[in-house]
């Protein structure tokens, strides 16, 4: 007992008290007297053996937590929609990978608001989302929203359309046209377009609906109608279409990064959010050359 106390820098009395408390918790004797000394009972030997394993696992857990806390290891789960995934998300992920080379990535395309619901449910760490025109009902205290960029919608017309010589056009000028609907399903983007059409005083006559921007451009190029497409989806305009800016309050979809409130300071979330903002700030959105 004296030797154990000396090794632990305790007094013999303190060691005795700790052992007595441990025996009370275990409900069995852990030491027995042998002559002038003591030796462990079978229960004492068992507890000592298990104690080593517990200490080793605690040390491993502390090391793993330290890696997670400092961003040396862990998992980032990210959800994004297609045009974001084809434009500014990849360079942001490259920045993230450079700062956290050992991190695991769980990446998947998912449309808002489903991606936002995934963040709220703890199934994803960050989502790239679109804010509806009047402000999202999803924006509550359970989530943290960071604006990345405003993505303007442009009109795309067949190359032989009478309005291509006018330059910029007003949305109201297109009221009598036939339309290719790019947002047939309810979504934040469809809300933005519906609101813009209503403000221009008409409801579009839809000839064909598609949820794929390249397909939309192909339909327009074939002369089936005209459409509105966000600039992020116009990096390579179809050779058979002409792109025109809309005058006076064009539809704009506001793109945001969404994380759970309180998670924005976690190393992985902080790094990817900063990377997304950096890329978005430097992402020059130019009017397509096919004009």
């Amino acid at each position: 007992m004296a030797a154990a106390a000396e090794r632990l820098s305790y007094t013999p009395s303190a060691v005795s008290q700790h052992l007595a408390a441990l025996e009370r918790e275990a409900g069995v004797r852990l030491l027995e007297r042998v002559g002038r000394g003591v030796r462990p009972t079978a229960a004492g030997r068992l507890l000592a053996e298990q104690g080593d394993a517990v200490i080793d696992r605690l040390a491993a857990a502390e090391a793993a937590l330290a890696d997670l806390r400092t961003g040396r290891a862990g998992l980032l789960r990210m959800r994004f929609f297609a045009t974001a995934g084809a434009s500014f998300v990849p360079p942001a992920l490259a920045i993230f990978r450079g700062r956290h080379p050992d991190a695991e990535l769980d990446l998947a395309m998912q449309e808002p608001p489903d991606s936002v619901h995934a963040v709220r449910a703890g199934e994803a760490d960050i989502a790239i989302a679109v804010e509806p025109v009047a402000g999202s009902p999803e924006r509550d205290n359970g989530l943290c929203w960071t604006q990345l960029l405003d993505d303007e919608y442009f009109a795309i017309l067949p190359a032989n359309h009478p309005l291509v010589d006018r330059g910029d056009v007003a949305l109201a000028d297109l009221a009598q046209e036939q339309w290719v609907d790019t947002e047939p399903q309810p979504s934040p983007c469809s809300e933005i377009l519906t609101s813009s059409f209503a403000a221009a005083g008409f409801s579009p006559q839809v000839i064909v609906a598609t949820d794929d921007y390249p397909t939309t451009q192909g339909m327009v190029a074939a002369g089936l109608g005209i459409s509105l497409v966000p600039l992020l989806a116009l990096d390579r305009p179809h050779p058979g279409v002409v792109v025109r800016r809309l005058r006076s309050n064009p539809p704009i979809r506001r793109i945001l990064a969404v994380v759970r409130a309180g998670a924005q300071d976690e190393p992985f979330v902080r790094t990817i959010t900063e990377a997304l903002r950096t890329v978005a700030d430097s992402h020059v959105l130019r009017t397509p050359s096919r004009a």
Side-chain angles (χ1 to χ4, degrees):
M1 295 289 285
E6 182 178 356
R7 183 174 180 180
L8 296 171
S9 298
Y10 286 179
T11 64
S13 174
V15 171
S16 295
Q17 292 176 16
H18 281 295
L19 283 171
L22 189 57
E23 285 185 333
R24 286 195 298 271
E25 290 185 18
V28 294
R29 290 181 60 91
L30 302 177
L31 296 175
E32 60 184 0
R33 289 191 174 277
V34 178
R36 299 179 61 182
V38 294
R39 67 183 179 190
T41 63
R45 289 193 297 274
L46 176 64
L47 187 59
E49 293 168 358
Q50 296 296 321
D52 287 340
V54 169
I55 291 172
D56 289 343
R57 294 193 66 175
L58 284 173
E62 289 178 355
L65 284 173
D67 286 344
L68 189 63
R69 187 170 54 250
T70 59
R72 287 194 296 269
L75 173 67
L76 176 70
R77 301 167 300 171
M78 187 175 184
R79 304 292 179 261
F80 48 86
F81 54 89
T83 47
S87 53
F88 63 89
V89 167
L93 286 170
I95 295 173
F96 175 86
R97 178 67 83 186
R99 296 179 185 174
H100 303 284
D102 297 324
E104 297 180 55
L105 294 175
D106 174 4
L107 309 174
M109 284 201 303
Q110 190 173 35
E111 295 294 324
D114 291 343
S115 58
V116 176
H117 295 162
V119 171
R120 177 179 282 105
E123 298 166 358
D125 302 308
I126 184 167
I128 308 302
V130 175
E131 181 184 40
V133 63
S136 172
E138 301 287 343
R139 296 187 70 161
D140 56 30
N141 293 331
L143 298 173
C144 178
W145 302 71
T146 300
Q147 182 175 346
L148 299 176
L149 57 88
D150 286 345
D151 191 18
E152 182 178 339
Y153 280 85
F154 283 72
I156 58 171
L157 314 173
N160 60 355
H161 195 282
L163 293 178
V164 298
D165 294 329
R166 289 196 185 180
D168 295 354
V169 299
L171 189 55
D173 294 338
L174 308 175
Q176 303 304 315
E177 299 287 338
Q178 295 181 332
W179 285 80
V180 179
D181 186 0
T182 61
E183 305 291 346
Q185 302 299 323
S187 69
C189 292
S190 67
E191 292 180 21
I192 293 169
L193 295 182
T194 298
S195 176
S196 293
F197 289 133
F202 73 97
S203 179
Q205 180 187 358
V206 175
I207 298 301
V208 61
T210 170
D211 59 1
D212 176 73
Y213 292 127
T215 302
T216 295
Q217 293 194 54
M219 295 290 183
V220 172
L224 296 178
I226 67 171
S227 191
L228 299 184
V229 173
L231 191 51
L232 280 180
L234 288 172
D235 57 331
R236 294 184 180 87
H238 191 290
V241 306
V242 172
V243 179
R244 286 291 177 262
R245 186 184 294 274
L246 293 168
R247 294 196 305 268
S248 181
N249 299 320
I252 293 176
R253 60 177 189 174
R254 180 159 292 167
I255 299 177
L256 311 103
V258 186
V259 304
R260 288 186 303 281
Q264 59 267 35
D265 290 328
E266 294 177 2
F268 285 1
V269 172
R270 183 173 63 248
T271 297
I272 190 60
T273 302
E274 291 174 354
L276 287 165
R277 293 184 66 178
T278 297
V279 173
D281 287 344
S282 64
H283 197 84
V284 180
L285 299 180
R286 302 181 185 277
T287 303
S289 59
R290 183 70 179 177

